[in-house]
Amino acid sequence: MYSKFIMLVLALCLAIVPITAQEVTPEPEVTPEPLPVMAEVITIDAEDGLDLVADFYLIDPERPTVILLHQIYEDRSSWDELLLPLLANGYNVLTTDIRGGWGETRGSIHWFKAVDDVASWMTWLRDEAGVNPEAIHTLGSSMGSSLAVVACANDDLCRSTIAISPGWNYYRISLEDSIASHPVLGIYAQNDRWPSLGVPQMQEAAPDTFSVIMYEGNAHGMDLLEAQQETLVVEIINWLNSH
């Protein structure tokens, strides 16, 4: 009897089809589209002798140039997602590391000197890179937006500024004397505290030259650019094309 039982168990075991884990097809890796030009790493001297470092992407010296100024705790690599759209639309790009210890530009934080650093980059672009001297734009995020607005205002030939999450007075860099001097596009989220407080002041101070794009939420700076990338990149390109 036991032998019959054992034979029955063996037969059942042989009849069972083993259950294997379902094979998962791996997601194909997305290869980033190559940039149309390679970066040239540029180092220049600031007015106080500090080495300023940036990446320069040259499409055509006759085409407009955009200077990108990152926010606090970031570096020039934070603009990587914006590089291809700018270059593909024919813009030369200079991505800078702001003084203060981020990226390859070292030194200590000094925002007024950081404004002068942007002027040094503009001089280099015109005198050394040979770009169109009257077609330079500045684009900054958060604290970088303050540097972008003020530096462009200080330069008679600077064409326009795009300010992502701008503040009326970040770290004593006030926009009061700069915001009305040239076309500025302010981009911010409705519930982002400091831009929501500062933008109305900018609108009042520069009703003819200050334009605004407002998004819902509270994303700030590069988080806003990432969250609204599809529409925001288009708005940035449209603004540059129209100025």
Side-chain angles (χ1 to χ4, degrees):
M1 180 176 179
Y2 286 108
S3 62
K4 290 182 179 180
F5 176 75
I6 293 172
M7 292 297 291
L8 178 61
V9 171
L10 289 173
L12 289 173
C13 289
L14 291 172
I16 295 173
V17 177
I19 299 174
T20 58
Q22 185 178 1
E23 292 186 4
V24 178
T25 303
E27 290 288 336
E29 293 187 7
V30 178
T31 303
E33 189 174 345
L35 298 175
V37 292
M38 297 295 292
E40 180 182 0
V41 179
I42 306 297
T43 302
I44 65 171
D45 290 334
E47 290 186 359
D48 62 355
L50 179 68
D51 286 342
L52 305 176
V53 183
D55 287 336
F56 181 50
Y57 301 83
L58 179 64
I59 294 292
D60 181 342
E62 293 302 315
R63 294 287 301 160
T65 300
V66 183
I67 301 176
L68 300 180
L69 302 159
H70 62 77
Q71 64 194 50
I72 296 176
Y73 308 125
E74 297 284 357
D75 58 34
R76 66 189 191 269
S77 68
S78 64
W79 295 107
D80 285 355
E81 295 299 322
L82 190 56
L83 276 176
L84 182 57
L86 289 173
L87 297 172
N89 280 274
Y91 291 93
N92 308 311
V93 179
L94 183 78
T95 58
T96 69
D97 277 343
I98 295 171
R99 69 167 63 220
W102 305 286
E104 294 183 75
T105 296
R106 309 308 299 173
S108 57
I109 296 173
H110 195 301
W111 298 119
F112 295 99
K113 288 184 178 181
V115 172
D116 294 336
D117 294 342
V118 183
S120 296
W121 282 119
M122 289 184 177
T123 298
W124 178 85
L125 284 168
R126 291 173 175 134
D127 294 350
E128 301 298 328
V131 303
N132 187 336
E134 298 183 4
I136 293 176
H137 304 262
T138 57
L139 194 164
S141 174
S142 190
M143 187 60 208
S145 72
S146 295
L147 306 181
V149 172
V150 176
C152 192
N154 291 344
D155 187 281
D156 292 338
L157 299 179
C158 185
R159 188 68 64 85
S160 78
T161 294
I162 298 173
I164 302 174
S165 302
W168 182 247
N169 192 328
Y170 282 145
Y171 297 99
R172 296 189 300 124
I173 300 295
S174 172
L175 304 189
E176 184 175 4
D177 297 328
S178 306
I179 194 68
S181 68
H182 64 290
V184 177
L185 173 62
I187 303 169
Y188 76 110
Q190 185 177 16
N191 297 324
D192 187 6
R193 176 174 174 76
W194 295 116
S196 66
L197 292 174
V199 165
Q201 294 175 277
M202 300 173 204
Q203 291 174 305
E204 182 178 356
D208 299 325
T209 57
F210 183 67
S211 302
V212 178
I213 296 174
M214 184 183 71
Y215 289 93
E216 294 181 353
N218 61 357
H220 183 82
M222 304 311 292
D223 290 336
L224 178 60
L225 179 60
E226 181 177 356
Q228 303 293 341
Q229 185 173 2
E230 288 188 10
T231 60
L232 189 44
V233 169
V234 173
E235 296 287 1
I236 289 172
I237 298 299
N238 287 343
W239 171 270
L240 293 171
N241 289 343
S242 64
H243 290 82

